[in-house]
């Protein structure tokens, strides 16, 4: 993985920490990839099966196809980097490109 990706991940993690993100709990981390066609996106999505994984495929306005993979895990720099590399190995053969990752902020349950 290139160092620029590493830097982006580091700064995102720093912002999450500043925002009071709870790193002691597992969270759904979203990983994103874009594909030129629906078939590739759906085939790649089919490679991800498991209780802690949820893959969603949708068409974008520009005609490309978007794969959003949600993985329940700890938000650590190493863990995210390792999964991003594994994700890339799966999506690349189907013409997919990894577009990074993010976390949907969960609302605290009152």
């Amino acid at each position: 993985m290139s160092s620029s990706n590493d830097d982006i991940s580091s700064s995102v993690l720093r912002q999450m920490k500043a925002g009071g993100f709870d790193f002691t709990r597992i969270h759904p981390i979203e990983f994103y990839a874009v594909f030129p066609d629906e078939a590739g996106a759906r085939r790649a999505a089919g490679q991800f099966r498991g209780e802690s994984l949820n893959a969603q495929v949708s068409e974008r306005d520009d005609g490309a196809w978007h794969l959003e993979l949600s993985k329940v895990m700890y938000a650590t720099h190493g863990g995210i980097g390792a999964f991003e590399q594994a994700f890339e190995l799966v999506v690349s053969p189907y013409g997919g490109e990894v577009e990074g990752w993010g976390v949907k902020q969960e609302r605290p349950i009152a």
Side-chain angles (χ1 to χ4, degrees):
M1 202 160 66
S2 69
S3 61
S4 62
N5 269 8
D6 252 14
D7 298 342
I8 292 166
S9 285
S10 296
S11 68
V12 170
L13 288 165
R14 273 198 301 277
Q15 286 167 10
M16 285 160 60
K17 195 171 190 172
F21 186 83
D22 184 357
F23 288 94
T24 64
R25 290 172 46 232
I26 55 173
H27 296 269
I29 311 285
E30 316 284 338
F31 293 88
Y32 309 106
V34 65
F35 294 80
D37 57 52
E38 182 182 6
R42 295 212 178 273
R43 278 204 211 83
Q47 303 294 310
F48 295 99
R49 290 272 183 271
E51 285 176 27
S52 64
L53 294 169
N54 175 31
Q56 288 179 316
V57 173
S58 56
E59 190 174 9
R60 300 198 320 187
D61 295 340
D62 61 4
W65 285 80
H66 193 246
L67 168 61
E68 182 181 301
L69 183 73
S70 178
K71 179 173 169 58
V72 177
M73 63 187 287
Y74 287 102
T76 65
H77 194 271
I80 288 167
F83 188 78
E84 211 170 19
Q85 282 182 313
F87 188 42
E88 195 163 15
L89 288 174
V90 172
V91 304
S92 296
Y94 300 109
E97 270 181 62
V98 173
E99 281 203 319
W101 62 275
V103 175
K104 289 182 178 156
Q105 281 293 8
E106 299 166 3
R107 287 178 178 78
I109 298 160

